[in-house]
Amino acid sequence: MKALFWPVCCAGLLSLCSCGPRVARVESVDIVPRPVTVEASDGAFDLTRSTKICLLSDDTMLLRSADFFNGLLQPSLGRALKVETGACADSDAIRVELGDLAPEAYEISIRPEGVRIVGGSPAGVYYAFQTIRQLLPEPVLRGEKAGVVELPVVEIADQPYFAYRGGMLDVGRHFFSVDDVKEFIDILAMHKINRFHWHLTQDQGWRIEIKKYPELTRVGAFRDRCDLDPAAPNDSVPYGGFYTQDEAREIVRYAADRFITVIPEIEFPGHAVAALASYPWLSCTGEQYEVRQTWDIDDRVFCIGRDSTFRFIEGVLEEVVALFPSTYIHIGGDECPTDRWEQCPRCRERMRAEGLTRPRQLQGYATTRIERFLSSHGRRLIGWDEILDSGVSRTAVVMSWRGTEGGIRAARQGNEVVMAPTTHCYFDYYQTADTAGEPLAWGGCLPLEKVYALSPCEGLDSVQRASVLGVQANLWTEYIPDFAQAQYMLLPRLGALAEVGWSPGRKDYAEFLPRLKRLTRFYDACGYVYAKHSLAD
């Protein structure tokens, strides 16, 4: 018995220390988006099951990052790293603390004896762990068993250039499940995107439960066909869906755990057919409409002459602001024809009462009225650049989509701006000019290199540039019926736009491509579908 005891005991101890092979460190430090400074050296830190994560600052939000990192390692190491709060030994530990840095800034020091992470806030710490994620060897990314995971010796100091780095998903044209939306948020988080713009209403579908107005989801969330192409035969398959308020709260929490703010969009006064089909008294004519079954601009819009229209939209927004803690609430404002207003006695009377000379000014009146309502609830209005055409207050935020011209004009007059031009940020466009074999897309060609070439502050002086909050990728879904295709259109172009938003002054496309190729290994490990046109060796 004694002869057997020591070999068995030693074998047991060995199994505790190592449950797999040593996995060599990555050959080079390739991070997207590009950090401010990277100083790599020879050597490695050996991360094992006995390594601890020590949270040195008293902030429970740091646990989010520890849980995130453990989720990456546990499949390979077989168990989560122990997380401790308070002081711990310097060796064989990942020491995490908050320091005197900009809020989203971080510093990483990986040395043979241990790892030190300093963040300007819990968000900065989370970005540091996202960076370390990109330093994990490929076998670990794939969840292969490992006893020792080598991390390269490196010093990284980093922070984003723009405070607003967004990604928009249109769920109005095609509906995506809660799990799909969470996966979209995970993709944003991987790229250090911090705003999720959730486009919730459209002519083709109203997607958010409003308890005061139940017909919006009973009627407005469903249409008689799935395919929105007017040239396609009617498939006659009822299609739709919506998110309950509990599901919306769940998604807000999920995003917050990844330091992403959800910005809801409720379209007003255009793109309103789903709402009008639900409540005909919101339109200029009072007719009973059907939820629109094809794409394109529709002239059936909210009636600005009716006070009941404003009671309705304020009732909707009261529930929206209760669901979404975001400072910004998006009200759309794009592509709103004035034809119905010109013919509507109530709208003409509104013009006379308000001293308006052009029907387009009704949109300015309506936008200003909604902005006052949002302001009374401590929120700020953000809208597409058409809100400039009808007059808008200096406190409204302008999202420039019709090129950068609207953003430039807004910045010059003192409005804050998010740049999201079709020329560089519309990911529903084809990724290559050779469209044979490509999934059907909206049209136009937006290759990876052109996304990377966006210069958000071009045309502005140093004072006006301060008005540019950041950039946003937009994924409209007229031709995107499922999440696999959404991934394909999003990736890897999101990597290019992430670098535009994080480090616009340090861009070099030739240097970017090898780092992006490294990032696609993470796409592979996650099972993401992505385009490979620009990634061939």
Side-chain angles (χ1 to χ4, degrees):
M1 291 293 293
K2 289 182 180 179
L4 289 172
F5 176 78
W6 287 110
V8 170
C9 182
C10 290
L13 290 172
L14 184 62
S15 69
L16 289 175
C17 297
S18 175
C19 292
R22 171 179 288 271
V23 183
R25 65 190 176 103
V26 296
E27 295 180 358
S28 61
V29 176
D30 297 316
I31 308 298
V32 176
R34 182 181 181 179
V36 176
T37 63
V38 176
E39 297 180 10
S41 305
D42 292 334
F45 167 68
D46 289 348
L47 191 156
T48 69
R49 295 174 65 181
S50 63
T51 301
K52 296 179 180 178
I53 300 177
C54 298
L55 306 180
L56 306 182
S57 297
D58 186 18
D59 191 321
T60 57
M61 292 178 70
L62 297 177
L63 289 169
R64 299 180 185 180
S65 295
D67 290 344
F68 161 72
F69 194 57
N70 265 325
L72 298 175
L73 293 175
Q74 190 165 351
S76 288
L77 296 181
R79 72 178 187 189
L81 302 183
K82 186 176 182 180
V83 179
E84 296 183 351
T85 56
C88 69
D90 291 347
S91 61
D92 197 22
I94 300 172
R95 297 163 58 85
V96 180
E97 59 186 304
L98 301 178
D100 187 19
L101 302 173
E104 292 187 299
Y106 66 88
E107 295 175 351
I108 299 171
S109 176
I110 302 178
R111 298 180 179 180
E113 62 271 19
V115 178
R116 179 173 180 263
I117 295 172
V118 181
S121 69
V125 169
Y126 181 75
Y127 297 140
F129 275 109
Q130 284 286 4
T131 292
I132 294 176
R133 176 188 195 177
Q134 295 191 40
L135 299 178
L136 294 174
E138 284 188 57
V140 177
L141 301 180
R142 296 192 294 267
E144 296 178 14
K145 294 301 180 184
V148 178
V149 177
E150 292 185 358
L151 294 179
V153 171
V154 67
E155 303 282 333
I156 298 174
D158 199 12
Q159 69 180 78
Y161 184 86
F162 287 114
Y164 186 112
R165 306 176 304 280
M168 187 278 290
L169 178 64
D170 164 23
V171 298
R173 273 59 175 258
H174 280 99
F175 179 74
F176 295 87
S177 71
V178 169
D179 287 342
D180 289 340
V181 174
K182 288 180 177 179
E183 196 69 46
F184 186 86
I185 291 168
D186 285 336
I187 292 171
L188 297 184
M190 175 186 287
H191 296 83
K192 300 188 177 82
I193 301 296
N194 65 356
R195 300 290 195 279
F196 168 40
H197 175 176
W198 201 7
H199 187 87
L200 288 164
T201 71
Q202 260 299 334
D203 291 318
Q204 296 83 6
W206 184 285
R207 305 296 180 209
I208 182 71
E209 177 190 24
I210 302 297
K211 294 184 182 298
K212 189 173 183 178
Y213 299 109
E215 297 298 284
L216 289 172
T217 46
R218 192 187 73 82
V219 175
F222 300 92
R223 60 177 184 260
D224 289 341
R225 62 187 287 181
C226 175
D227 192 340
L228 294 174
D229 186 352
N234 192 332
D235 50 39
S236 300
V237 177
Y239 178 86
F242 65 93
Y243 307 96
T244 67
Q245 293 197 358
D246 284 342
E247 288 172 332
R249 292 186 188 96
E250 179 184 347
I251 287 168
V252 167
R253 286 193 297 269
Y254 190 87
D257 284 345
R258 288 145 184 81
F259 299 92
I260 292 173
T261 300
V262 182
I263 299 174
E265 181 179 357
I266 305 297
E267 280 273 15
F268 183 82
H271 289 294
V273 176
L276 307 187
S278 304
Y279 293 100
W281 46 264
L282 293 169
S283 73
C284 288
T285 65
E287 294 176 75
Q288 179 63 64
Y289 300 134
E290 293 182 345
V291 176
R292 188 175 175 104
Q293 300 176 27
T294 57
W295 54 257
D296 215 342
I297 299 172
D298 200 301
D299 67 359
R300 295 171 293 179
V301 301
F302 284 106
C303 179
I304 304 305
R306 297 177 186 266
D307 286 334
S308 56
T309 296
F310 291 94
R311 289 194 292 271
F312 166 83
I313 196 66
E314 289 174 3
V316 168
L317 291 175
E318 280 179 348
E319 296 191 29
V320 167
V321 298
L323 290 171
F324 298 93
S326 166
T327 299
Y328 300 121
I329 303 295
H330 206 301
I331 58 93
D334 61 311
E335 299 178 328
C336 182
T338 64
D339 308 52
R340 300 295 174 114
W341 295 344
E342 293 168 14
Q343 301 166 19
C344 174
R346 294 181 182 85
C347 290
R348 292 199 300 270
E349 176 57 34
R350 179 77 74 186
M351 290 178 63
R352 285 191 293 271
E354 298 297 330
L356 307 179
T357 59
R358 295 179 294 111
R360 176 59 61 197
Q361 292 173 312
L362 283 169
Q363 183 170 355
Y365 162 82
T367 301
T368 300
R369 188 163 168 175
I370 296 305
E371 184 181 16
R372 286 198 301 267
F373 173 83
L374 290 174
S375 179
S376 72
H377 287 72
R379 308 304 177 89
R380 292 188 65 190
L381 180 145
I382 184 169
W384 301 109
D385 57 58
E386 282 95 332
I387 66 175
L388 285 169
D389 299 339
S390 53
V392 67
S393 79
R394 294 286 178 87
T395 54
V397 180
V398 175
M399 188 166 280
S400 187
W401 74 278
R402 297 178 298 176
T404 59
E405 293 79 7
I408 291 170
R409 179 156 59 100
R412 287 176 176 170
Q413 71 181 37
N415 289 84
E416 291 183 322
V417 175
V418 175
M419 290 295 190
T422 58
T423 51
H424 297 79
C425 299
Y426 268 44
F427 291 0
D428 53 326
Y429 287 15
Y430 285 105
Q431 304 191 61
T432 173
D434 182 7
T435 60
E438 291 293 297
L440 183 63
W442 178 257
C445 178
L446 179 54
L448 181 73
E449 186 172 6
K450 189 168 185 182
V451 176
Y452 195 78
L454 174 63
S455 180
C457 296
E458 187 175 357
L460 299 172
D461 63 29
S462 58
V463 174
Q464 295 160 353
R465 290 182 179 205
S467 295
V468 180
L469 299 176
V471 297
Q472 179 171 287
N474 291 334
L475 190 63
W476 302 103
T477 62
E478 286 92 341
Y479 294 126
I480 301 178
D482 57 57
F483 194 63
Q485 190 168 330
Q487 293 173 40
Y488 180 83
M489 301 303 285
L490 194 67
L491 303 173
R493 291 186 289 192
L494 187 64
L497 195 68
E499 189 143 311
V500 171
W502 191 274
S503 50
R506 301 185 299 277
K507 292 192 302 174
D508 180 333
Y509 187 70
E511 188 272 342
F512 166 71
L513 280 178
R515 289 186 288 110
L516 184 67
K517 289 177 183 177
R518 164 70 181 165
L519 184 63
T520 61
R521 299 170 189 174
F522 294 86
Y523 298 167
D524 291 333
C526 293
Y528 295 149
V529 181
Y530 61 96
K532 302 179 181 180
H533 308 92
S534 303
L535 302 174
D537 293 325

